[in-house]
């Protein structure tokens, strides 16, 4: 697995005009290919009279899924430069749709490539990006007596507390870097006098 990846900070739209053509880039995070396709469909529905709705998306921290569409523009002049811009910026789990309203002036292949790639780059700057790091999910089980102080200590030391569940004992779900597991285990034993139990779970990504 990748140690970290970059994605868009949220949904956003950026518009620019080039030789009287309007280029509107809509960006969104997409956890799956289905999410990316649903976003493309939504934008198409919002712009039914547009000349083109071209798209590109990258899904997977390792960019396993990459798709692009020129939507009627000359082959390779729209979707591919959009995808290349996402890849050049190392963007993952994201979808870009560029809606074009033709303004009557032909841009030529080179002009189209610059326009489509360029508006995605501008949109990324406008919307912003976030880095997500790989971590291991872990659950700490502790008695009620120590739970409140332990939760405070965890937050005070900058640990990522994801969930706290109260039952017979208290289960606190946290995120840990792999390199941090051994030192955390020792710290936990120290602050709870060896009474807490640590279980390691699967891996996920969270804000860096």
């Amino acid at each position: 697995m990748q140690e970290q990846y970059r994605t868009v900070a949220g949904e956003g739209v950026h518009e620019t005009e080039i030789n009287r053509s309007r280029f509107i880039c809509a960006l969104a995070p997409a956890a799956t290919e289905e999410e990316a396709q649903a976003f493309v469909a939504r934008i198409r529905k919002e712009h039914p009279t547009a000349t083109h709705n071209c798209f590109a998306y990258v899904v997977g921290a390792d960019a396993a899924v990459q798709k692009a569409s020129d939507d009627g523009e000359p082959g390779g002049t729209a979707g591919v430069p959009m995808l290349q811009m996402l890849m050049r910026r190392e963007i993952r789990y994201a979808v870009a749709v560029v809606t074009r309203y033709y303004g009557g002036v032909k841009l030529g292949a080179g002009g189209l490539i610059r326009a489509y790639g360029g508006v995605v780059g501008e949109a990324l700057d406008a919307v912003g990006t976030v880095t997500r790091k790989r971590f291991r999910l872990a659950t700490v089980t502790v008695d009620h007596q120590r739970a409140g102080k332990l939760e405070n200590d965890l937050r005070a030391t900058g640990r990522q507390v994801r969930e706290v569940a109260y039952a017979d004992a208290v289960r606190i779900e946290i995120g840990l870097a792999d390199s941090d597991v051994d030192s955390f285990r020792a710290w936990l034993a120290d602050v709870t006098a060896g009474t807490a139990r640590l279980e390691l779970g699967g891996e996920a990504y969270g804000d860096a």
Side-chain angles (χ1 to χ4, degrees):
M1 281 175 85
Q2 299 282 109
E3 282 304 311
Q4 61 182 43
Y5 69 87
R6 187 179 295 137
T7 191
V8 293
E11 273 194 36
V13 178
H14 174 76
E15 182 175 340
T16 191
E17 189 176 303
I18 300 166
N19 284 354
R20 297 212 294 272
S21 275
R22 286 173 67 204
F23 289 86
I24 306 162
C25 179
L27 287 174
T32 63
E33 191 167 6
E34 290 72 26
E35 269 186 38
Q37 289 168 346
F39 183 74
V40 172
R42 195 181 98 203
I43 299 300
R44 280 204 169 121
K45 203 172 280 186
E46 286 174 15
H47 296 278
T49 61
T51 322
H52 307 279
N53 281 293
C54 307
F55 70 81
Y57 57 80
V58 182
V59 177
D62 55 356
V65 178
Q66 301 177 29
K67 289 275 171 65
S69 165
D70 296 315
D71 193 37
E73 292 281 29
T77 62
V80 169
M82 290 168 63
L83 181 62
Q84 285 173 339
M85 181 59 73
L86 292 175
M87 293 299 292
R88 192 180 311 148
R89 295 287 194 92
E90 298 177 345
I91 300 296
R92 307 288 185 262
Y93 289 109
V95 53
V97 183
V98 175
T99 300
R100 182 188 182 194
Y101 287 91
Y102 182 56
V105 179
K106 291 194 171 179
L107 301 182
L112 288 172
I113 289 167
R114 282 191 298 277
Y116 278 99
V119 72
V120 172
E122 289 171 16
L124 287 170
D125 291 339
V127 173
T129 61
V130 291
T131 299
R132 300 203 185 285
K133 291 184 91 160
R134 184 164 66 93
F135 64 86
R136 185 173 287 283
L137 293 167
T139 304
V140 176
T141 306
V142 68
D143 59 47
H144 285 263
Q145 195 183 336
R146 298 178 195 270
K149 183 178 185 311
L150 178 60
E151 186 183 341
N152 288 339
D153 287 347
L154 286 166
R155 293 186 192 280
T157 54
R159 306 286 177 190
Q160 187 186 17
V161 177
R162 296 170 61 81
E163 201 177 312
V164 182
Y166 291 86
D168 295 342
V170 181
R171 291 166 60 85
I172 304 172
E173 189 180 281
I174 59 169
L176 285 176
D178 273 343
S179 57
D180 201 16
V181 171
D182 290 341
S183 60
F184 178 76
R185 202 186 290 276
W187 175 85
L188 184 65
D190 188 39
V191 298
T192 65
T195 59
R197 193 169 79 248
L198 177 67
E199 293 170 67
L200 295 178
E203 292 181 328
Y205 287 93
D207 293 345

